[in-house]
Amino acid sequence: MTERENIITEGSITKALIIIAIPIIISNILQSVLEVVDMYFIGHLGQDAIAGGTMSISIIMVLMTVLFGIVTATAAFISRAYGSQRYERIQVILAHSLYLALIISAIIAVIGMFWSEGLLLLLGADPGALAEGVKFLQPMLMGLFVMVILMTLVTAFQSSGDSRTPMFAMIAVNIVNILLNPTLIQGLAGFPAFGIAGSAYASIISRGAGIFLLLGVIYLHPAFKNSPVRLPKKWTFEPDLIKQIVFIAIPSAIQSGVRSFGFLMMTAIVTTFYGTAAVAAYGISIRLDMLGLIIVMGFCTAIAVMVGQNLGAGRVDRAELSVKYAVVINAIFMACVAVFYYFNAEMLLAFFGAEGEALVDGILFMHIIPFSYFIIAAAMTLGFAMNGAGMTRPGMYSAIAGQICTQVALSAMFAYLGYPIQYIWYAIVCGSIVMCICDYYFYRKGDWKRKKLDLGGEDA
């Protein structure tokens, strides 16, 4: 095995986490810079564009739930195969995952082509937000297959312990996207001004470039001649493997679906009861949340790889200790982010285009939600750890309990009773607490440590 493989299953846990996490964090930072650029230019198109974009993103997240489930299952299977040194199965797993993902992407493309406007109307979009939202939502859904292929390839590399190669690819992707965003949104360098649609076009084009870059590395770079991350030369259909991937993917897809549906319901509640300014504040604040989770997401992805490979190598004790390290790192970091957001809320929100009532509502959000960040970080780390083991049902249960039964239910009640917007923000905090309690219960129960995955092949 190479040094990278030894580091994941042997030696310093902290070093292994950092080696895997740092390239992912760098990619996430660039992605966040892209989000900043995106928010900046879309924000200056007006509140209709902000609201339409926010609603569109919530719809995209709901429709992508099955795809997220497939990616989670792919990560669990590939990391387990790599940890158990069954490298030949990685190619087969990747091929089957891509075929499943492309079938779902085709269905979503049809939905985007014919029903984008109807989906936005279901969220209560007013005429202005509807007009802007359709311009963004339709091309994003029709071009989603490009993003899914790239996502699956990146996951395959990361699950094999190589997070550097996709980092370089994602650096290129984000640079292209950042350059194309203002160019296509505002119409620079002789291009027409597409408005909010330009953001969608930039996303699709840049991801397409990323796919070609990764495929070029896999098949043309001499150092990757013997890399297990590639499509098999002789593709064979294995129904049992498809069933195994789907079996792991379904609870993860439901989990993602519940979270996305919860976000969609929250957007609908805020839009219906509090207006366009409030939903604009909600959209900007949620994006700031995601910016704060950059490093957490890096270590969460790293812990999923650590758990999967160490379980594959029979190192259950090392997998468990790795989770403890990651929880501490993530919780401390998010506590620091919370303090920063609390004292700089107005400046950050104003920079991204919030003004008037939207600014006021956003400040309330940033003075309440961040104090639950360390709880969110702990819950995410535990959830990713169990997903890395292929144990995806606990995350599904915690999402239902926290996101729907607590957050959405409380928000609907507060909105119906006429409570001010800050009570909606308190409901989000309550939902995070419930999710963390559920994740901790299932983690302590320990079934994830005994989870078996059937990788198929001759050793099945």
Side-chain angles (χ1 to χ4, degrees), residues 4-5 8-9 20 24 70-84 87 90 93-94 97 151-164 166 228-229 301-310 387-388:
R4 175 69 56 83
E5 296 155 20
I8 293 174
T9 56
I20 302 170
I24 298 170
I70 292 171
V71 169
T72 299
T74 301
F77 274 91
I78 290 180
S79 62
R80 187 70 68 97
Y82 203 94
S84 59
Y87 308 123
I90 294 175
I93 293 166
L94 176 58
S97 297
M151 190 189 313
T152 307
L153 289 174
V154 167
T155 298
F157 274 103
Q158 291 173 347
S159 301
S160 299
D162 179 9
S163 56
R164 290 185 61 195
V229 180
T301 303
I303 199 59
V305 175
M306 289 282 290
V307 167
Q309 289 207 23
N310 278 285
N387 284 345

Side-chain angles (χ1 to χ4, degrees), residues 169-359:
M170 293 310 297
I171 287 174
V173 166
N174 285 304
I175 289 174
V176 171
N177 205 332
I178 288 170
L179 293 175
L180 286 178
N181 244 338
T183 302
L184 299 182
I185 291 174
Q186 294 190 332
L188 305 178
F191 286 89
F194 291 105
I196 192 172
S199 175
Y201 299 148
S203 296
I204 295 167
I205 293 170
S206 60
R207 268 64 178 185
I211 292 172
F212 284 110
L213 183 58
L214 278 179
L215 290 177
V217 168
I218 291 171
Y219 290 103
L220 300 178
H221 197 293
F224 289 84
K225 182 179 180 180
N226 297 317
S227 171
V229 180
R230 60 181 62 238
L231 295 177
K233 294 180 180 179
K234 183 180 180 181
W235 192 86
T236 56
F237 182 73
E238 299 184 13
D240 288 339
L241 180 58
I242 290 288
K243 291 177 183 177
Q244 289 294 322
I245 294 174
V246 171
F247 182 78
I248 301 298
I250 287 176
S252 179
I254 294 174
Q255 173 188 349
S256 298
V258 167
R259 293 182 187 278
S260 300
F261 181 73
F263 176 62
L264 186 151
M265 288 295 99
M266 292 295 293
T267 303
I269 290 169
V270 173
T271 303
T272 303
F273 291 92
Y274 299 97
T276 300
V279 78
Y282 182 57
I284 294 173
S285 298
I286 288 295
R287 284 196 169 188
L288 285 170
D289 275 356
M290 298 308 297
L291 286 175
L293 290 169
I294 294 172
I295 290 182
V296 170
M297 287 299 297
F299 279 99
C300 282
T301 303
I303 199 59
V305 175
M306 289 282 290
V307 167
Q309 289 207 23
N310 278 285
L311 290 181
R315 297 294 307 276
V316 178
D317 56 336
R318 182 176 172 84
E320 190 170 14
L321 189 57
S322 300
V323 177
K324 293 178 181 178
Y325 279 39
V327 167
V328 172
I329 292 170
N330 283 339
I332 291 175
F333 174 76
M334 287 310 293
C336 295
V337 172
V339 173
F340 176 77
Y341 276 8
Y342 182 86
F343 289 105
N344 297 279
E346 183 174 355
M347 176 192 69
L348 292 169
L349 290 161
F351 177 78
F352 294 126
E355 58 185 7
E357 187 179 348
L359 180 61

